Amino acid sequence: MTRWLKLHLGAVFAFLYIPIAVLMVLSFNKAGLPTAWGGFSTEWYGKLLANPKIQSAAWNSLTVAVISTLLATALGTLLALGTERAKPSSLREALLFAPMIIPDIVLAIALLSFFTLIKFTLGLHSIIMAHVVFNIAFVCAVVRARLKSFDWSLVEVSRDLGASAQQTFWRVTLPLILPAVIAGALLAFTLSVDEFIIAYFTAGAGQSSTTLPMQIYAMIRFGVTPEINAMATLIMGFSFLIVLVAQRFNRGIPGS
Amino acid sequence: MNTKKILMAAFGLVLMTGSALADKVVISNWDGYMPKDIADKFKAATGLDLEVAVHATNEEIMGKVTASGGQGFDVLFVSSPFAEALHKLDLLAPIDPAKIPNLKNLYPEAAQLKHDPGNTFSVPYAWGTTGLCYRSDLVKGEPSSWNDLLNPADDLKGKTTMLATDRWLMAPAFLAAGVSVNTVDQAALDKARDQLVATKKTLLAYDDTTFYSKLVSGEASLVEAWDGWCNYGIAEKPEIKYVIPKEGSDLWVDTMVITKAAQNPDGAAKFIDFLLSAENGKWVVENIMYKTPNKAGMDSVDPAMLTQYPNMAIAPADLLKYEQLRDLGDGAKAFAKTVSEIMAAK
Amino acid sequence: MNANRSPWLLMAPGLLWLVALMVVPCLLIFSLTIFERGTYGGIDWHIITAENFRRAFDPLYAVILWDSARIAGLATLIALLIGYPAAYAIAKASPRWQTVLLFLAILPFWTNYLIRTYAWIVLLNPAGLINGLLQWLGLTAGPIPLLYNEFAVVLGLVYNYTPFVILAIYSALQRLDPSYAEASRDLGASAATTFWRITLPLTAAGVAAGAVFVFVLSIGNFLTPDLLGGGKVQMVGNLIYDQFLTARDWPFGATLSSLLIGLMMIILFAQALATRRAYGEGR
């Protein structure tokens, strides 16, 4: 039984990693085409990093992800703190759950129609606003999970000892929930960097609001580009770092 | 307090990203449909910055432009039926011949296009036919009819692709049946649907953008293609050939239009004029390997190129014999439903 | 500070954001359903009609919706079958290994969705690695169609969402009190019986949560059918995309979107009801 389980787990990991590993290996293939090995080369990395469109797209994605994460983390954490103290409301629960399950394409066209109707100029800022919508929900969910085991008496003690509400928040509440806040922020960041269809519909004109996934989509649509392999390898390495950081913070949560 | 500061900083950044420059021309074109160094050349010639956005399909840019009213773009490259729709939606600025003196370089036929006689709102950029692009070493005999694609021989099953854009998806079935490529007659639509549902079972994929690389790699042997894109395949593999089926083709015209919301209409006109000069016309043709309506440009192209890519030598007068795709207006709904029926079929 | 008012103050900015940029746009989508497509695309605000709903209930669109549900259901089922034993294996490992294994299981989930999907184009295409391998081993004479069909779409969905299922089931398994299973074994039940009678029912909520997520993400998916289906596999996400961009029929696209939102609400309501009932019986 246990041996079968181990074997299964091994097979699942093979299934998850072989496609990525293949791209990583191909990224060093001089030949470019996936069918033949033309010798080891890092030329695709050079081409990738020298491509101004990819540079600007990566920069745009970073801008969108950082700003939408900051906004969503602030709003989502406050929302979680409020929700745990307010009277339960199933309408509010539905509102908080909806952004996580509404199909991306539906939210994308709803936002596009809305922005069109109010004659709102599209650009990076409209992508950020859209990304905050689903990121609030994810940050809020992560922080709420932490608050379930939060000892509210600590807050009461702090208030009883004469600390103001603000002092209590910065000195007591936030440090205690900080690991969850950071974990939520990292999740939001990754989701935002990865998101394609909502950005595609809410982006403005031109390269100035093209995000990395939009650029990758265009590259894939135009065929097998070896640069994508190099990008896959870089993104994989980058994600590895982020998840490593996230794990550290998660481990910091007492009792989890 | 701190939260407030962070929020304000974030909003500040948001606002900064929305700014725009005035001496800049923003265009959107298909990827790879212009020489790569166009921005540098344009800057050197006019002193204006050129921002090149790309769209993968007509639909994509249409969605963007109808949503924003064209804001943010000065010049768009779209196929003629889409230019027509944008014009009817009142999103385009008229073309002012006084500002584009190089219009004189166009073939006289370029002013006789049905969607816009006299080039009042669109300037043709490239034109051509839709036909069969194939690997002469993998296809037995020479394909000569749309039926070779629609009802392929057994050894070609699973090795053919058709264009995914709805209008060009339907066109082969209309042409094979001898009806107009602009028909919205229900009986003709139904007949085309039945044919294309049967054809779908034999297709490798619907493909608008990578069909030529599928030919090069041998994934596909016979594909529906725009002639210019077939040339990309011919460039990489001489065994690839192009043929206009005996039932005919459509005349597709990719055009340049200036949006009504253009922030730099003069720059937009300068850009179009820049592309229409004899020298740049030649440069465009040699880079994109498409026929263009720019007579001055075509005349100066190396004749060896016309031998290597025979479809580039089709005379403008012959092109005009084919019917152009037109915007379908109210017929679009019935047409869209038929396309959905084909897409949903298994 | 008023203790009753403060939660609302904390919640207000976030809730306002969601209302302004999710609820209002969705209400707008609902309201677009009663208008007509303009002759050249967009919306004709002058005509109010029930035509869009009549069209949406045409069997054609019901078939597309059913196909989407079928493909999403299949992907969900396979992801569960792969994910449950994997999560179980991770939960059985030593605590130190659990962290590492879980980390490895969710790591692919943090890379780019498009790139993960693209990897399968490289692997599955007729001139690709898997076909090359099959022919090299002499298992197939020529390339077999692996890409641009329903198989590829389901595979792509399973690949992308399995880490998610593993995570959801793992956390359910972790919350499980091991004393139940021990008691069952002490009372003489076999390992298999213990699993089927104790472990599986007690982790049903985790399974349901994972399943609903995968199903919901799959049924509205656009990218996977678009890239791996070669345009031949039409799911409701692509249909909505086509109505907005290709057919430029916003009112009809809005109608299909509204129906999809309605379907999601039914699924979630059913799940909430089932979970409540399961917990109700368990206690």
Side-chain angles (χ1 to χ4, degrees), chain B residues 146-228:
Chain B
W146 283 114
N147 283 312
D148 294 327
L149 175 75
L150 296 171
N151 305 302
D154 280 343
D155 60 326
L156 289 179
K157 281 183 181 153
K159 311 220 67 164
T160 58
T161 72
M162 286 183 79
L163 296 172
T165 303
D166 54 351
R167 298 299 301 279
W168 283 284
L169 167 80
M170 296 288 278
F174 290 149
L175 289 164
V179 298
S180 158
V181 290
N182 292 309
T183 187
V184 284
D185 171 62
Q186 196 57 50
L189 287 175
D190 288 347
K191 193 175 163 208
R193 176 200 61 208
D194 294 343
Q195 170 65 62
L196 290 170
V197 166
T199 304
K200 187 179 178 184
K201 297 188 180 76
T202 69
L203 289 181
L204 172 66
Y206 292 105
D207 190 341
D208 263 358
T209 44
T210 58
F211 49 83
Y212 75 92
S213 54
K214 289 196 169 93
L215 281 180
V216 172
S217 72
E219 284 172 69
S221 310
L222 171 71
V223 304
E224 178 193 4
W226 296 296
D227 44 14

Side-chain angles (χ1 to χ4, degrees), chain A residues 16 26 40 48 74 78 94 99 114 138 152 164 167 175 180 190 192 198 201 205 217 220 247:
Chain A
L16 291 179
L26 286 177
F40 180 87
L48 178 78
L78 292 178
F114 175 65
F138 281 98
W152 289 102
S164 72
Q167 280 172 323
T190 325
S192 178
I198 295 173
F201 274 89
Y217 180 73
I220 295 177
Q247 287 289 319

